[in-house]
């Protein structure tokens, strides 16, 4: 097979209108281009995450430190669950004693299990950076493999398309603390297996392969799997619209394969699905209005914060925050994509890609389509889905992830046509190939990613990081950081290897035991509120603790199942010590914290 003869796909050419082509013959192995692709994609991933690698334990990568703290806790919990054979889908080690349903939060169970040796040996901070780096490089490599083997004949074109998928503004922005979004290593393979549904073969075998891939992705990110299902539904709709007869003819075999895949997936995921929708601390919906996270139409023609042509001066009205900049392709790429679809409109794959990209982009704009600011606008297609189960828990902007993948594949096809000589050298006096090459450069160079920022990590006491807590807190019992604050609890828990439980935390849970509507965190206990008042100066020194507050403090540490209360260095440490002494008796200095042993009150 030559570079000018791309392998046939079941969606690419009208010549295959009424037939299902066989797999292309295997070409001789060319290891050098593949090795170059691996090195380029890994170098790109290290470029994006590099500032975090300069000081793994002293810095937090990206613009959302709280998200990294939570995901480090999740990785620490996964390693703890592996080492202690505990439930990876539910825990009482955060939000003690009620716990957190990890299936309704960012699970990343499979990456956490695979990285457990790294976490146990090097800590959750190292494991997180490894995950974020491998997510980008691995996603790119997966797309490269599928594109080069099944979609285009030129390896360089496959690499360019794969880089677009892996380092697009969507994935770079989500690298600000969302490993469950950037972990898309299995997505290209699932997409390819779905595309094969129109081919001949063995339905049982194909169904088992597809089911195994889907099941594995379920334990990486349920959210991405759901978005992928929506993408496949959009592509299927396009396929039916453009080739109704072929779609109808392929339906029986496709349904058979999907039936096998669905049965296997349901068998493997039955318990975690029950946990997600019916288990303890499950929640439904998202705590915020979907339109809060909707993109603006102008975002598709602008540049992202972490792209070469973007920067912090970008328009913050176009996305909810830096993490959700899932579009931001710029005018040149949008125009190039429109021109490519018009030029290659006879190719079925290109028509389906264009249809899917536009439809997903429209859904990402929420209930009302606005150019730059929220207003009356034009009703958007998301209204058709708004409020449906599962969809009501989505972040609307993430529909643009579908558009990103479609554009990446389209770019690979255009580059392949250019490098294979299938674009005429000239049209009249116009040098077409140089013009297309310049258009590609103008469209793609401004999107090159810039390194993510890194900021100093909040200090965690040596009492926690060095393991001194083990002499004072039994495994699974609660260590209460003072003041009781969500992110402090999460940081201490992760730094301590999740060997102890913490109050409160950073998670999504139900509003109350009788209302499963999703909300962030929980309301603080009275003693937590008291200590916050002291820490912020709203209760001035000298601090007076009433008998009622002292009695409530005993009830609260009993509720938390606490063994110890710890006060690290704090600007209002003396006032906090006075309040804690009044609640629990005199504390004592242990390592770099003041400690109150409350086991006589809670055991």
């Amino acid at each position: 097979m030559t570079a000018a003869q791309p392998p046939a796909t079941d969606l690419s050419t009208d010549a295959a209108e009424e037939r299902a082509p066989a797999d292309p013959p295997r070409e001789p192995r060319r290891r050098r281009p593949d090795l170059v692709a691996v090195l380029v994609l890994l170098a790109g991933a290290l470029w994006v995450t590099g500032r975090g690698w300069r000081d793994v334990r002293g810095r937090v990568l990206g613009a959302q430190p709280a998200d990294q703290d939570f995901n480090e806790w999740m990785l620490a919990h996964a390693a703890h669950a592996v080492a202690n054979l505990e439930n990876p889908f539910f825990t009482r080690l955060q939000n003690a004693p009620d716990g957190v349903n990890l299936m309704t939060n960012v699970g990343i169970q499979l990456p956490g299990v695979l990285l457990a040796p790294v976490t146990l040996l090097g800590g959750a901070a190292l494991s997180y950076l490894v995950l974020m780096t491998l997510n980008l490089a691995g996603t790119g490599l997966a797309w490269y493999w599928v594109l080069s083997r099944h979609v285009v004949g030129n390896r360089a074109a496959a690499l360019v398309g794969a880089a677009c998928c892996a380092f697009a503004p969507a994935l770079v922005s989500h690298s600000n603390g969302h490993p469950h979004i950037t972990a898309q290593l299995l997505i290209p393979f699932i997409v390819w297996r779905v595309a094969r549904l129109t081919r001949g073969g063995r339905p049982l075998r194909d169904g088992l392969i597809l089911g195994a891939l889907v099941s594995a992705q379920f334990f990486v990110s349920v959210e991405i799997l759901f978005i992928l299902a929506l993408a496949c539904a959009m592509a299927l709709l396009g396929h039916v619209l453009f080739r109704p007869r072929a779609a109808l003819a392929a339906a029986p075999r496709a349904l058979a394969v999907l039936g096998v895949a669905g049965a296997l997936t349901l068998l493997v995921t039955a318990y975690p699905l029950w946990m997600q929708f019916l288990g303890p601390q499950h929640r439904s919906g998202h705590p915020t209005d979907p339109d809060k996270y909707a993109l603006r139409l102008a975002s598709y023609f602008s540049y992202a914060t972490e792209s070469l042509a973007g920067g912090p001066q970008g328009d913050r009205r176009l996305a909810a925050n830096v993490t959700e900049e899932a579009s931001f392709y710029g005018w040149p790429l949008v125009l190039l994509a429109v021109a490519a679809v018009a030029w290659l409109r006879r190719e079925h794959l290109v028509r389906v890609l264009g249809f899917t990209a536009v439809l997903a982009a429209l859904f990402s704009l929420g209930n009302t389509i606005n150019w730059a600011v929220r207003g009356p606008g034009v009703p958007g297609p998301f209204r058709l889905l708004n409020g449906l189960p599962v969809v009501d828990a989505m972040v609307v902007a993430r529909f643009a992830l579908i558009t990103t993948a479609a554009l990446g594949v389209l770019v690979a096809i255009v580059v392949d046509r250019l490098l294979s000589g299938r674009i005429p050298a000239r049209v009249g006096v116009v040098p077409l190939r140089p013009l297309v090459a310049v258009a590609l450069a103008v469209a793609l160079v401004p999107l090159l990613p810039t390194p993510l920022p890194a900021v100093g990590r909040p200090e965690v006491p040596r009492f926690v990081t060095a393991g001194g807590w083990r002499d004072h807190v039994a495994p699974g019992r609660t260590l209460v950081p003072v003041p009781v604050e969500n992110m402090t609890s999460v940081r201490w828990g992760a730094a301590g290897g999740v060997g102890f439980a913490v109050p409160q935390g950073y998670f999504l849970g139900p509003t109350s035991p009788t209302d499963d509507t999703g909300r962030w965190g929980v309301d603080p206990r009275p003693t937590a509120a008291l200590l916050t008042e002291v820490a912020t100066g709203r209760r001035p020194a000298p601090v007076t603790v009433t008998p009622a507050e002292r009695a409530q403090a005993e009830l609260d540490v009993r509720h938390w199942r606490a063994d110890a209360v710890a006060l690290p260095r704090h600007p209002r440490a003396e006032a906090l010590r006075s309040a804690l002494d009044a609640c629990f008796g005199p504390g004592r200095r242990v390592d770099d914290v003041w400690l109150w042993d409350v086991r006589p009150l809670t055991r």
Side-chain angles (χ1 to χ4, degrees):
M1 179 178 296
T2 66
Q5 296 174 315
T9 72
D10 37 51
L11 295 176
S12 61
T13 64
D14 285 339
E17 179 78 41
E18 300 298 336
R19 64 186 178 87
D23 282 330
R26 292 184 180 274
E27 60 182 356
R29 290 185 178 180
R30 293 181 291 170
R31 297 182 181 275
R32 185 173 296 176
D34 293 345
L35 178 60
V36 169
V38 171
L39 294 176
V40 168
L41 295 168
L42 182 57
L46 288 170
W47 168 256
V48 173
T49 62
R51 289 173 177 167
W53 285 103
R54 294 178 187 174
D55 187 356
V56 174
R57 291 177 177 80
R59 286 185 165 194
V60 178
L61 180 70
Q64 298 281 60
D67 287 341
Q68 176 167 340
D69 292 333
F70 173 77
N71 282 290
E72 287 183 8
W73 189 95
M74 290 296 300
L75 291 168
H77 178 267
H80 176 85
V82 169
N84 295 276
L85 299 179
E86 294 184 1
N87 188 345
F89 309 117
F90 181 82
T91 182
R92 298 188 188 280
L93 296 174
Q94 192 178 151
N95 189 35
D98 299 319
V100 176
N101 188 321
L102 301 180
M103 284 305 302
T104 65
N105 285 271
V106 179
I108 58 172
Q109 282 87 6
L110 183 56
V113 169
L114 295 177
L115 287 170
V118 178
T119 308
L120 293 171
L121 293 174
L126 174 62
S127 192
Y128 176 84
L129 271 178
V130 169
L131 177 60
M132 297 306 294
T133 304
L134 291 182
N135 279 354
L136 293 173
T139 297
L141 186 58
W143 276 112
Y144 169 78
W145 184 272
V146 170
L147 290 172
S148 64
R149 269 65 177 176
H150 303 295
V151 180
V152 298
N154 187 284
R155 299 289 175 93
L159 178 57
V160 173
C164 288
C165 291
F167 300 107
L171 268 74
V172 174
S173 69
H174 278 291
S175 294
N176 286 287
H178 291 171
H180 68 298
I181 299 296
T182 61
Q184 298 187 23
L185 292 76
L186 298 175
I187 299 304
F189 298 105
I190 297 175
V191 169
W192 175 241
R193 299 308 302 189
V194 171
R196 286 176 53 92
L197 291 176
T198 59
R199 295 186 168 195
R202 291 177 286 180
L204 178 59
R205 181 201 63 180
D206 292 348
L208 290 175
I209 293 173
L210 179 59
L213 289 170
V214 170
S215 298
Q217 180 61 39
F218 179 92
F219 295 110
V220 175
S221 172
V222 177
E223 182 175 0
I224 287 297
L225 183 59
F226 182 64
I227 292 173
L228 175 61
L230 294 174
C232 291
M234 294 176 187
L236 174 61
L237 178 59
H239 182 50
V240 171
L241 289 174
F242 298 131
R243 283 187 177 173
R245 288 184 297 168
L248 183 62
R253 181 184 182 278
L255 291 174
V257 174
L258 291 175
V260 173
L264 176 60
T265 303
L266 186 60
L267 178 66
V268 172
T269 64
Y271 173 70
L273 279 173
W274 173 86
M275 179 64 70
Q276 180 168 2
F277 294 106
L278 298 172
Q281 294 295 104
H282 73 274
R283 52 100 183 178
S284 62
H286 198 275
T288 56
D289 180 352
D291 282 334
K292 177 180 178 181
Y293 289 98
L295 296 171
R296 303 292 175 262
L297 186 57
S299 70
Y300 283 86
F301 306 94
S302 303
Y303 291 106
T305 301
E306 300 301 338
S307 63
L308 192 62
Q313 72 278 5
D315 192 337
R316 289 290 156 264
R317 302 172 300 169
L318 304 182
N321 52 56
V322 172
T323 309
E324 299 296 341
E325 292 180 345
S327 48
F328 293 83
Y329 306 127
W331 277 101
L333 182 56
V334 173
L335 293 177
L336 177 66
V338 171
V341 171
W343 168 46
L344 300 170
R345 62 187 179 279
R346 292 180 177 237
E347 297 192 21
H348 183 55
L349 174 58
V350 172
R351 293 199 300 267
V352 171
L353 288 172
F355 175 85
T356 304
V358 171
L359 187 57
L362 291 174
F363 273 102
S364 74
L365 303 177
N367 290 303
T368 305
I369 299 174
N370 292 285
W371 175 253
V373 294
R374 187 179 298 185
V378 177
F382 181 74
R383 294 188 180 210
L384 300 174
L385 303 180
N386 190 20
L388 293 179
V390 184
V391 176
D392 62 359
M394 278 191 65
V395 175
V396 178
R398 296 174 189 175
F399 274 100
L401 293 166
I402 301 172
T403 305
T404 293
L407 286 179
V409 177
L410 183 61
V411 166
I413 293 172
V414 173
V415 175
D416 179 68
R417 300 298 186 270
L418 177 65
L419 297 179
S420 63
R422 297 175 68 184
I423 296 177
R426 289 178 174 273
V427 175
V429 297
V430 178
L432 189 57
R433 287 181 195 166
L435 187 62
V436 172
V438 170
L440 281 165
V442 170
L444 299 180
V445 170
L447 296 179
L448 291 174
T450 55
L452 293 174
V455 298
R457 185 185 296 270
E459 183 182 9
V460 175
R462 187 174 59 251
F463 172 77
V464 173
T465 58
W469 60 268
R470 291 187 176 89
D471 295 330
H472 307 276
V473 183
R477 297 283 291 184
T478 302
L479 174 64
V480 180
V482 176
V484 184
E485 191 269 333
N486 293 342
M487 295 317 305
T488 301
S489 289
V490 171
R491 292 186 201 104
W492 283 31
V498 196
F500 52 83
V502 290
Q504 299 181 196
Y506 183 69
F507 59 92
L508 281 164
T511 297
S512 72
T514 58
D515 182 1
D516 65 1
T517 303
R519 62 163 289 175
W520 292 105
V522 293
D523 293 325
R525 301 285 296 182
T527 303
L530 165 66
L531 295 172
T532 299
E533 288 181 359
V534 176
T536 56
R538 284 180 288 165
R539 181 172 291 205
V543 177
T544 301
V545 175
T546 68
E549 289 172 329
R550 185 179 302 111
Q552 182 64 52
E554 294 182 6
L555 290 175
D556 286 342
V557 292
R558 204 170 292 132
H559 169 81
W560 287 323
R561 299 180 67 246
D563 276 1
V565 177
L567 171 64
R569 286 185 293 187
H570 192 278
R572 293 184 56 80
E574 289 302 318
L576 287 166
R577 275 183 59 197
S578 174
L580 290 165
D581 285 345
C583 290
F584 307 119
R588 62 191 181 98
R589 188 74 177 180
V590 177
D591 204 340
D592 57 345
V593 301
W594 282 90
L595 198 71
W596 286 261
D597 185 344
V598 295
R599 285 174 288 188
L601 301 174
T602 62
R603 293 290 184 116

